[in-house]
Amino acid sequence: MQLKSAQLLCAWEFTTPVLTSITTLASTAASEDKSTNELSQVTKIENLRSNAKLLLSNDPERTTNMLSGAVVALAMIPEAVGFSFVAGISPITGLWTTVILGFMASAFGGRPGIMSGASGAVAVVIAPLVAKFGGEYLPACAILAGIIQCVAGKLKLGKWIRLVPHPVMLGFVNGLAIVMTKAQLSHFTGLGSTAATSTMVGLTTLSMIFMKVIPKVTKAVPASLLTILLTTLVSKVFSLPAKTLMDVAGAETFKGGLSVLPTLALPSVPFNVATLKIIFPFAATMATVGLIESLLTLQLVDGLIDTGKRGSTSKEARGQGIGNIFSGLIGGMGGCALIGQSLINVEAGGTGRLSGITMACTLGAGLIAFAPLLGQIPLAALVGIMLLVCQQTFAWSSLRLFGKIPNLDALIIILVSYITVVEDLAIAVVSGTIVSALSFAWKQSTMVFAKDEGVDENGWRVFKLNGPIFFGSTQTFESQFDMKSIKEDEIVLDFSGSRVYDHSAIQSINMISEKFGENGKKVHLRKLSPDCQLLLANIHEGGVPPYESIERDENDPAYTPVEDSEKFAIA
């Protein structure tokens, strides 16, 4: 059975029941017991009632969110069209992907204000799939990617985005600003005549001037919306040879009417193992790239919108997943959050979910009822806005950091920026994070040392350990002791100034103790946390260890090696 997606986009009276049903299902699946489920349902219903009141009220916040969403809907068109060409599919497919994904991700995502749609990062991933196997596999790939993202949200894997260091974030936004700028500058080539090129340059400059001047005159209407209207008016009044959105996407995309509506249906590919083998590698990559870009966008928007609450990475992963699933069901290409459009939205005052929902509904309604008018908007009006967004996206303050921060951190900023430009976002972020992690591990590995405290009242030689002991520092730790130069028969290793972090450290402690034992010395381990003692005891499985634990402090914190102490409990 096929349903016209216009039922979701145009019939507002059905919006609340649909949202209530889906959110109730999601809440039920996530609940662990009946009471938690009931509380979650009440919360969802209250949120829906609050959103309904906002729609029906004359609240200025509602107006601002709706206007900002309408502006972003226009800014979405050239991007979605361009990404469709990259993926090798029809522009109308990319536009409807933006409508459906934008609506679902805004309704169920983890950070109000984020705009989602067909994206370049995803387009690059799926282009080989379309080229080799055909476009019919693309919707199935989008659905599978959405399922993977929903699972990632359920497992709370989005929290790992916290491990992305600040230099990587700076490099990412700088590289992204360069990529977006290159995409906008490409619109100035191949215009065919000097007059067309001059018009493109002139209208782009004019739109940028409008963006700077309008906020100083009035803030009642978003500057970006007035910029688009005024630039279009100038183009028409003076009959300028301006390149329009219709020129970019073709007349077929902007013909309008019900014929452009997509249908809601399962992909027309065989549901078997062979199909899964084809689409799974692309879907897994698409899900990963989409989540990385979406969660980085969430972090950036968190920094711009100061509401006292951080966005939920798990909910954002789920929202993107739901959006990609529905995108596949209407034959779309899938996508993710878009940083450029999200910044336009936030700058225009769009800080609520209503802005993203309005963007999707405005774009959908425009493709049906106002397509010919939308097609007449000069491309230069949107290019000018995007160029200013690029300028605002670039972290200019990072340039002043060079010479004031460690050289390696500066190198990471440059590395991530470069890889973002020449490769893609996911590789850049992963590479930068790995380099940062290895750098941190190396620095920590050199910080462990054993201070000789001399002989105590018992005649024991005491070594006070300092610094972290983990896989990277075990060699440094082991090199601290010269067995032959120590004359005392009993040795104390004092761990009060150190921390043991992994199994490599446990093995290293055991090995050092055994070496002392081979040299006729007895080792006393002082202030070693209870969980480490359990792991050491487990190594010997009831045998006689080459050490004894002294001054055991049961109040000492268990700081990581044992996640389940009962598993390692001593009989």
Side-chain angles (χ1 to χ4, degrees), residues 500-545:
V500 179
Y501 285 103
D502 59 13
H503 183 66
S504 296
I506 295 293
Q507 288 287 5
S508 183
I509 294 170
N510 187 70
M511 186 178 67
I512 289 174
S513 300
E514 288 180 341
K515 285 185 178 180
F516 273 119
E518 292 170 359
N519 284 272
K521 304 180 187 302
K522 185 176 181 179
V523 177
H524 306 275
L525 305 180
R526 175 185 291 167
K527 294 288 185 178
L528 188 64
S529 70
D531 55 348
C532 294
Q533 294 172 26
L534 289 174
L535 280 176
L536 278 169
N538 186 66
I539 291 176
H540 298 283
E541 297 181 352
V544 179

Side-chain angles (χ1 to χ4, degrees), residues 213-555:
V213 174
I214 290 174
K216 298 178 181 180
V217 177
T218 178
K219 294 185 178 179
V221 180
S224 45
L225 178 58
L226 283 179
T227 295
I228 293 171
L229 295 175
L230 291 175
T231 306
T232 303
L233 181 63
V234 170
S235 175
K236 295 303 179 183
V237 169
F238 293 96
S239 301
L240 299 176
K243 188 176 184 180
T244 64
L245 293 178
M246 188 175 293
D247 296 329
V248 175
E252 185 69 17
T253 301
F254 291 99
K255 68 179 181 180
L258 296 179
S259 62
V260 301
L261 279 170
T263 55
L264 191 65
L266 292 174
S268 57
V269 293
F271 288 86
N272 52 35
V273 176
T275 298
L276 184 62
K277 288 182 178 179
I278 292 174
I279 66 174
F280 182 78
F282 296 98
T285 305
M286 174 181 169
T288 303
V289 170
L291 277 184
I292 290 176
E293 183 162 357
S294 298
L295 296 179
L296 288 175
T297 303
L298 181 148
Q299 287 192 322
L300 287 177
V301 174
D302 268 345
L304 294 173
I305 303 177
D306 185 13
T307 60
K309 295 178 64 177
R310 306 287 293 181
S312 169
T313 56
S314 298
K315 288 183 179 179
E316 186 61 33
R318 182 189 66 185
Q320 294 292 329
I322 294 174
N324 277 312
I325 291 173
F326 275 86
S327 167
L329 290 175
I330 57 103
M333 61 181 280
C336 63
L338 300 170
I339 292 182
Q341 280 72 12
S342 297
L343 291 175
I344 292 176
N345 181 53
V346 173
E347 288 293 329
T351 59
R353 296 187 186 277
L354 184 57
S355 60
I357 293 173
T358 301
M359 179 279 293
C361 294
T362 300
L363 181 56
L367 292 174
I368 298 170
F370 309 105
L373 291 177
L374 291 177
Q376 297 304 311
I377 295 175
L379 183 61
L382 302 174
V383 170
I385 295 173
M386 286 301 298
L387 285 175
L388 285 180
V389 169
C390 295
Q391 180 263 328
Q392 294 168 358
T393 301
F394 193 92
W396 298 100
S397 60
S398 64
L399 300 180
R400 297 192 296 270
L401 294 176
F402 291 93
K404 300 179 182 178
I405 59 176
N407 292 335
L408 185 60
D409 287 341
L411 178 62
I412 289 173
I413 294 175
I414 298 173
L415 176 67
V416 174
S417 299
Y418 175 77
I419 298 178
T420 300
V421 173
V422 301
E423 291 292 338
D424 63 54
L425 166 68
I427 295 176
V429 172
V430 171
S431 300
T433 303
I434 290 174
V435 172
S436 295
L438 292 176
S439 171
F440 174 79
W442 175 257
K443 290 178 181 178
Q444 293 297 312
S445 70
T446 62
M447 295 178 64
V448 63
F449 64 94
K451 182 180 179 181
D452 189 347
E453 298 280 328
V455 179
D456 65 7
E457 64 275 7
N458 297 318
W460 300 350
R461 188 75 169 269
V462 179
F463 291 93
K464 185 172 182 180
L465 303 174
N466 292 274
I469 305 176
F470 65 108
F471 68 90
S473 64
T474 53
Q475 288 189 0
T476 304
F477 172 52
E478 294 166 11
S479 68
Q480 300 292 306
F481 309 101
D482 183 359
M483 306 290 179
K484 296 181 180 180
S485 66
I486 301 175
K487 304 302 181 182
E488 290 75 19
D489 293 332
E490 300 196 48
I491 310 298
V492 176
L493 300 183
D494 186 347
F495 289 87
S496 59
S498 180
R499 284 293 179 265
V500 179
Y501 285 103
D502 59 13
H503 183 66
S504 296
I506 295 293
Q507 288 287 5
S508 183
I509 294 170
N510 187 70
M511 186 178 67
I512 289 174
S513 300
E514 288 180 341
K515 285 185 178 180
F516 273 119
E518 292 170 359
N519 284 272
K521 304 180 187 302
K522 185 176 181 179
V523 177
H524 306 275
L525 305 180
R526 175 185 291 167
K527 294 288 185 178
L528 188 64
S529 70
D531 55 348
C532 294
Q533 294 172 26
L534 289 174
L535 280 176
L536 278 169
N538 186 66
I539 291 176
H540 298 283
E541 297 181 352
V544 179
Y547 54 80
E548 72 166 353
S549 296
I550 61 174
E551 298 183 28
R552 299 176 60 174
D553 185 358
E554 297 301 330
N555 295 323

